[in-house]
Amino acid sequence: MPRIFDNIDLSLLPALEETLKVADRADFCVGYFNLRGWRKLGCHVEQWAGGEGHCCRLLVGMQKAPEEEFRAAMSLVQTAEGIDNQTAHRMRKKLAEEFRAQLTVGFQSNEDEEGLQRLAAQIRAKKVVVKLYLRHHLHAKLYLLHRTDPVNPVVGYLGSSNLTLAGLQHQGELNVDVLDYDAAKKLAKWFDDRWTDHWCLDISEELAKIIEESWAREESLPPYHIYLKMAYHLSQEARAGLSEYQVPKIFGNRLFDYQTAAVKIAARHLDKRGGVLIGDVVGLGKTLMATALARMFEDNNSAETLILCPKNLVKMWEDYRHTYGLRGRVLSLTRALQELPDLRCYRLVLLDESHNLRNREGKIYRAIQEYVERNSSKCILLTATPYNKSYLDLSNQLRLFVPETKDIGIRPENLLRKIGETEFARVHQASPRSLAAFEKSDFPDDWRELMRLYMVRRTRSFIQDNYASVECPQCTAVIGATEAACAGCGRQKTKGERRFLTFEDGTRSFFPTRKPLTVKFEVDDQYAQFYAEDVVAIINSLSLPRYGLGNYVQNRPHQPPTNAETKLLADLSRAGKRLMGFCRTNLFKRLESSGQSFLLSVERHILRNCICLHAIENGLPIPIGTQDADLLDSQFFDEDAEDTAGESSDESGEAEDPESEVTWTGEFGFANEFSTQQVFTDSVKPATPAGAASSKPDGKARAAQVYGIYAKKYKKRFKWLAPALFSPSLKKDLESDAAALRKVLAKCAEWEPDKDAKLAALVELLTKRHPGEKVLIFTQFADTVRYLERELLKRGVTALLGVTGQSADPTGAAWRFSPVSNDKRSQVSAEAE
């Protein structure tokens, strides 16, 4: 009776191995051959001499996929199977590609490498000969072992097991052994008939070459070849974009080469993934590139574009839309909340300054996200600062067009390697190939891999190294970015030479050589008193309770919080260290900017403490602003909004400051801009004439006035919590900080611009060292901009304009400052007339 091998009760592999030990040659016929599966049997073949009669002959049959066989069987048109030389060559090439693909799948172990190297060596030594049977599709699985035994010279195994690890060891297979002499002899003849068939082709050489060119090769690859291989695959997206897309003709030669490349690569991302983030650093032309990309999408898809931008950039985008014939509409973010729910479908949404949309709980964010999802719109995001303080800044922008559960094709491999896939699934309950999975990772490499799929970002140094040319100082020939030496005289290009890009009219735009120089001035008494030890000590010792309200929440308040209040309390930062640190640092930064900005910030801080104290003392809800450390970072926000800014400023940069409704006077403001002698009042100007005597309400009354404005006109701009939810220490620390900051104001009572040595040095720089020249003055804070504009005008520097993040028309200011480079000479001249 034959033995039955089902790989459950009895496995085929051990039986084959035992028989191979006593055999001197073998004939295998299989429908599928796995190169790595050979290592289980290869060690037993090694003992044979090789050559005819002393080797393993392996016959591999070509198979159709089950669905292909079904279609052929059901087809109304039945064709006779046949083969010719062209078909044979194609099938031989196809199988070779399949074998090559096998080696790219799965983990590459040392055992696999050793087994593959042994197979290649055995093929070269003629111990293994592999043929491909092409006359017809062959599904047979037959293993014949020959030995020098007159009674039982051939042992056969017949069934369903292919020559793979799964086929030889795993369940789901069924095989029997064939020991009958006559049956084994007939099976041997059946094998020989197919082995000697005209359409049975020897593919041993191809297999050996595939292994010897793979990762299992015995000779190590040069590191440079590995680098080229990695570069080839990493640049696949960029190469596809450069070859498949064309910039619309309306742009002519307006785009530099680096901009054209960026547009094409971004187009690939936009088509393939539904969105792209253009994150080039400031000054590289993101606006023009985004316009070209939008126009390309419109031309190719007959679609229209909705451009969403901060209010002060609407004019600029309207100009670009008109100039390059974009079909669509420009809408400010302040109008988006009202209009998006009922706005008609735009298939492309372009979002400028997208870094403002990093709070996915905000109303404007949700309105945009819902609009994109509802209309299946593709998205172009523009920002020079895609990453601020957290990797979530990146994912929140991507979530505008990428659902958190969507399969994005990659995983946070570093995170999964650290905690394991099983633990990740248990703890996070998210698909590892989703945006939600990446949000769990703090590994920079994971985020770099993610953003490679969605972001196009270059720096100035990258542009200079890869796109800029230089002029040879010997023969004046142009040396291209990719050339190492001058083609005319052979002179080598040096690193310090000035590089340039060429405009469409042939003129050159040189990258400026930056020379940082320090303008020194004597530190006057005004600045010196701010840096005194006692002032610095006061700032460092502040409790800053408004930035760590979570530390003051009572565990068991007398009146339990409502459901809404419970959610607000849960959102408060328990530690508050990051917020407190930013606030303290911000005060010192404002002092570094100008004494006037510092004093304004101190007075506002006192005022806001007093507003909270007014609420506590009168049992009124405490107004709580956005608890977001980014809001206090002067790198992104130039206004002294502190924690009273609401959602709008966080998302669009366009929020009005509630305190702008009041006139800064008295203890909480500077009379004549910089004194501390008048009264803080409501936006309605006092009837008392300037200079006349007036009654001065105390600090509590002034705080009550501002609280009334908050509660009446800006209630939705704050979150409100009952004071009974907080411990008494909150009031104590608010009072302590306010008293400490009053000491600072008492010591530095008023700011006198005429004694400002730093301002005087700037005036000298403008009027004596660079008179008549264009000068850009950068500062971190809007208060300093307004101070400088006012004081420079007083000192005769009249051809100037101050621009901040809240300016109504920064585009017009840029056009007037640089009308030639912005192609606005005629428009600026007309406005001047």
Side-chain angles (χ1 to χ4, degrees):
M1 291 292 292
R3 291 179 293 172
I4 297 177
F5 302 91
D6 60 359
N7 290 339
I8 301 175
D9 296 324
L10 194 61
S11 294
L12 178 61
L13 180 59
L16 271 178
E17 290 180 312
E18 290 298 323
T19 312
L20 278 169
K21 290 178 182 179
V22 298
D24 51 25
R25 67 185 182 91
D27 295 327
F28 296 165
C29 177
V30 293
Y32 185 76
F33 172 42
N34 184 277
L35 297 179
R36 290 172 173 171
W38 177 256
R39 65 184 174 88
K40 291 293 184 179
L41 303 178
C43 58
H44 302 292
V45 175
E46 188 65 29
Q47 60 184 334
W48 298 342
E52 187 68 29
H54 302 283
C55 67
C56 175
R57 298 188 298 178
L58 176 58
L59 183 63
V60 181
M62 291 292 289
Q63 297 188 42
K64 283 185 178 179
E67 60 270 18
E68 292 182 20
E69 290 189 342
F70 178 77
R71 291 194 189 100
M74 294 294 103
S75 175
L76 295 176
V77 180
Q78 299 294 327
T79 58
E81 290 193 15
I83 192 168
D84 52 32
N85 288 331
Q86 184 178 3
T87 303
H89 176 73
R90 176 176 54 81
M91 296 174 72
R92 184 176 187 167
K93 184 178 180 181
K94 177 183 177 183
L95 186 68
E97 291 300 323
E98 290 179 356
F99 281 130
R100 184 174 286 108
Q102 284 183 20
L103 300 182
T104 66
V105 177
F107 178 72
Q108 301 165 1
S109 67
N110 292 334
E111 293 79 5
D112 286 339
E113 182 178 7
E114 181 182 354
L116 289 167
Q117 290 176 357
R118 180 189 292 121
L119 175 58
Q122 289 171 345
I123 291 174
R124 295 298 186 193
K126 305 297 183 182
K127 295 181 181 182
V128 177
V129 181
V130 185
K131 283 190 175 184
L132 176 62
Y133 186 77
L134 297 177
R135 182 170 293 279
H136 54 74
H137 295 285
L138 186 63
H139 294 261
K141 287 85 175 178
L142 172 65
Y143 299 88
L144 294 174
L145 291 306
H146 302 267
R147 59 181 180 172
T148 55
D149 185 340
V151 178
N152 192 15
V154 182
V155 176
Y157 296 92
L158 185 65
S160 64
S161 288
N162 275 310
L163 189 48
T164 65
L165 290 176
L168 296 176
Q169 292 180 291
H170 294 172
Q171 300 177 14
E173 306 293 345
L174 190 63
N175 303 275
V176 296
D177 59 2
V178 180
L179 302 178
D180 180 76
Y181 177 84
D182 184 63
K185 186 177 179 180
K186 291 178 180 177
L187 287 174
K189 184 180 184 304
W190 178 91
F191 182 91
D192 286 334
D193 289 344
R194 280 143 188 81
W195 185 261
T196 57
D197 189 278
H198 175 71
W199 294 112
C200 189
L201 308 181
D202 193 328
I203 59 170
S204 303
E205 177 66 26
E206 285 93 331
L207 284 184
K209 188 176 181 181
I210 287 171
I211 295 172
E212 291 167 353
E213 292 178 350
S214 74
W215 54 267
R217 61 191 293 164
E218 292 190 14
E219 178 187 356
S220 298
L221 286 172
Y224 181 64
H225 290 181
I226 298 174
Y227 165 77
L228 290 179
K229 180 76 170 177
M230 294 171 61
Y232 177 83
H233 287 287
L234 290 174
S235 64
Q236 183 175 357
E237 288 282 325
R239 290 184 287 104
L242 293 174
S243 62
E244 295 175 8
Y245 298 90
Q246 295 297 324
V247 174
K249 293 182 179 180
I250 191 173
F251 289 87
N253 297 320
R254 288 295 307 274
L255 297 176
F256 290 118
D257 289 343
Y258 78 86
Q259 293 173 320
T260 299
V263 171
K264 292 181 177 180
I265 295 170
R268 168 79 173 181
H269 292 331
L270 189 64
D271 271 343
K272 188 174 182 180
R273 299 183 181 90
V276 63
L277 194 158
I278 300 178
D280 283 2
V281 299
V282 174
L284 295 185
K286 289 188 297 299
T287 305
L288 184 60
M289 289 186 282
T291 305
L293 178 58
R295 179 60 193 268
M296 181 190 300
F297 184 82
E298 287 189 359
D299 291 349
N300 294 341
N301 298 277
S302 300
E304 295 184 354
T305 304
L306 173 64
I307 301 172
L308 299 173
C309 63
K311 184 178 180 180
N312 54 16
L313 296 182
V314 168
K315 179 179 179 180
M316 178 196 73
W317 276 109
E318 287 287 7
D319 180 72
Y320 272 86
R321 188 183 68 82
H322 173 76
T323 301
Y324 296 103
L326 279 180
R327 302 184 299 275
R329 181 180 178 185
V330 180
L331 186 65
S332 72
L333 286 171
T334 52
R335 297 294 306 163
L337 194 60
Q338 291 76 31
E339 298 198 26
L340 283 181
D342 301 318
L343 193 65
R344 70 180 183 85
C345 174
Y346 287 90
R347 297 301 303 277
L348 181 64
V349 175
L350 192 157
L351 265 165
D352 199 4
E353 304 291 348
S354 65
H355 58 267
N356 288 319
L357 293 160
R358 62 189 182 279
N359 174 20
R360 60 175 179 249
E361 300 300 323
K363 293 180 181 178
I364 294 179
Y365 183 101
R366 291 197 299 270
I368 296 174
Q369 186 183 49
E370 290 170 2
Y371 180 85
V372 170
E373 181 179 4
R374 183 170 66 251
N375 296 288
S376 299
S377 304
K378 294 182 182 292
C379 288
I380 302 172
L381 310 183
L382 298 184
T383 174
T385 54
Y387 170 80
N388 294 344
K389 295 298 177 185
S390 167
Y391 290 129
L392 292 180
D393 294 339
L394 298 173
S395 68
N396 286 346
Q397 292 174 71
L398 295 181
R399 275 175 178 255
L400 289 168
F401 62 90
V402 181
E404 66 171 335
T405 58
K406 179 182 178 180
D407 187 338
I408 58 177
I410 59 172
R411 313 185 309 170
E413 297 295 346
N414 291 277
L415 173 64
L416 294 174
R417 192 178 300 117
K418 178 182 179 182
I419 68 175
E421 296 186 31
T422 303
E423 181 66 10
F424 175 86
R426 185 187 70 81
V427 174
H428 299 300
Q429 298 180 350
S431 169
R433 292 158 61 99
S434 67
L435 196 56
F438 278 86
E439 292 176 346
K440 314 301 180 185
S441 175
D442 291 325
F443 290 93
D445 285 344
D446 285 342
W447 286 92
R448 273 191 286 268
E449 185 69 11
L450 173 66
M451 298 313 296
R452 180 178 63 83
L453 303 181
Y454 293 98
M455 183 165 68
V456 177
R457 179 173 174 82
R458 285 85 50 80
T459 61
R460 281 186 176 82
S461 59
F462 176 85
I463 303 304
Q464 291 187 57
D465 293 341
N466 294 277
Y467 290 95
S469 305
V470 299
E471 183 180 279
C472 178
Q474 292 186 4
C475 65
T476 68
V478 174
I479 307 175
T482 60
E483 299 172 340
C486 177
C489 63
R491 178 185 177 276
Q492 292 291 317
K493 185 165 58 177
T494 61
K495 195 170 185 179
E497 292 173 321
R498 290 192 68 192
R499 307 195 177 199
F500 62 85
L501 299 171
T502 305
F503 285 108
E504 59 180 327
D505 60 359
T507 59
R508 297 173 179 177
S509 174
F510 285 89
F511 284 86
T513 302
R514 299 181 178 183
K515 298 180 180 179
L517 300 174
T518 302
V519 177
K520 296 183 179 180
F521 60 93
E522 294 293 332
V523 178
D524 55 65
D525 292 338
Q526 289 192 112
Y527 276 111
Q529 63 186 353
F530 289 136
Y531 288 100
E533 290 186 7
D534 55 341
V535 174
V536 173
I538 288 174
I539 301 299
N540 283 327
S541 64
L542 293 175
S543 299
L544 303 172
R546 288 184 292 110
Y547 299 93
L549 287 172
N551 297 322
Y552 297 89
V553 176
Q554 294 205 67
N555 292 328
R556 295 181 179 179
H558 180 70
Q559 181 70 32
T562 65
N563 291 337
E565 289 175 330
T566 300
K567 184 179 183 304
L568 292 178
L569 291 173
D571 292 338
L572 294 177
S573 171
R574 281 288 173 187
K577 291 182 179 179
R578 191 166 174 232
L579 287 166
M580 296 173 183
F582 265 108
C583 179
R584 190 173 286 109
T585 301
N586 207 41
L587 284 171
F588 286 117
K589 282 187 175 182
R590 292 179 70 82
L591 173 56
E592 184 182 49
S593 178
S594 70
Q596 177 262 351
S597 292
F598 174 72
L599 286 178
L600 279 176
S601 195
V602 169
E603 290 210 350
R604 289 166 182 157
H605 198 96
I606 297 173
L607 169 62
R608 290 159 181 165
N609 276 15
C610 289
I611 293 170
C612 290
L613 286 170
H614 170 77
I616 294 172
E617 292 170 354
N618 292 276
L620 300 172
I622 299 175
I624 298 173
T626 303
Q627 299 286 296
D628 185 355
D630 292 345
L631 190 64
L632 304 181
D633 190 348
S634 57
Q635 182 180 357
F636 309 107
F637 296 94
D638 58 0
E639 295 288 352
D640 187 23
E642 292 200 7
D643 65 336
T644 59
E647 177 185 277
S648 296
S649 72
D650 183 40
E651 294 192 340
S652 68
E654 299 175 14
E656 298 177 359
D657 185 352
E659 291 151 25
S660 66
E661 292 290 319
V662 297
T663 303
W664 285 97
T665 53
E667 179 183 354
F668 303 115
F670 299 113
N672 301 322
E673 266 88 47
F674 304 108
S675 74
T676 56
Q677 305 303 316
Q678 292 184 348
V679 185
F680 185 92
T681 66
D682 197 343
S683 56
V684 180
K685 303 294 183 183
T688 307
S694 63
S695 60
K696 300 180 181 179
D698 58 19
K700 291 184 178 182
R702 290 189 285 270
Q705 290 176 338
V706 181
Y707 183 93
I709 295 173
Y710 283 5
K712 182 178 180 180
K713 301 187 65 175
Y714 298 98
K715 187 171 184 177
K716 293 183 179 180
R717 296 281 303 279
F718 297 91
K719 299 172 183 178
W720 302 82
L721 285 172
L725 298 174
F726 299 96
S727 65
S729 58
L730 174 60
K731 178 182 178 182
K732 178 182 176 182
D733 287 346
L734 286 169
E735 291 174 336
S736 176
D737 277 10
L741 290 174
R742 284 192 181 97
K743 292 180 181 178
V744 174
L745 290 182
K747 180 173 183 177
C748 316
E750 62 182 77
W751 184 258
E752 298 182 54
D754 292 339
K755 297 180 180 180
D756 188 343
K758 190 175 182 180
L759 174 63
L762 176 61
V763 173
E764 181 183 4
L765 184 75
L766 297 175
T767 58
K768 296 182 179 180
R769 295 172 59 177
H770 298 282
E773 297 183 36
K774 287 185 178 181
V775 178
L776 278 173
I777 302 173
F778 291 95
T779 181
Q780 287 182 297
F781 300 102
D783 286 327
T784 302
V785 171
R786 290 186 278 266
Y787 168 63
L788 292 177
E789 181 181 27
R790 182 169 47 248
E791 294 304 321
L792 289 174
L793 286 171
K794 290 180 181 178
R795 287 158 177 76
V797 183
T798 56
L800 70 96
L801 180 65
V803 178
T804 72
Q806 302 300 311
S807 295
D809 187 17
T811 302
W815 290 350
R816 291 194 294 275
F817 185 79
S818 301
V820 176
S821 60
N822 285 289
D823 195 23
K824 298 296 178 184
R825 282 172 288 189
S826 58
Q827 182 172 333
V828 171
S829 299
E831 290 178 356
E833 293 175 1

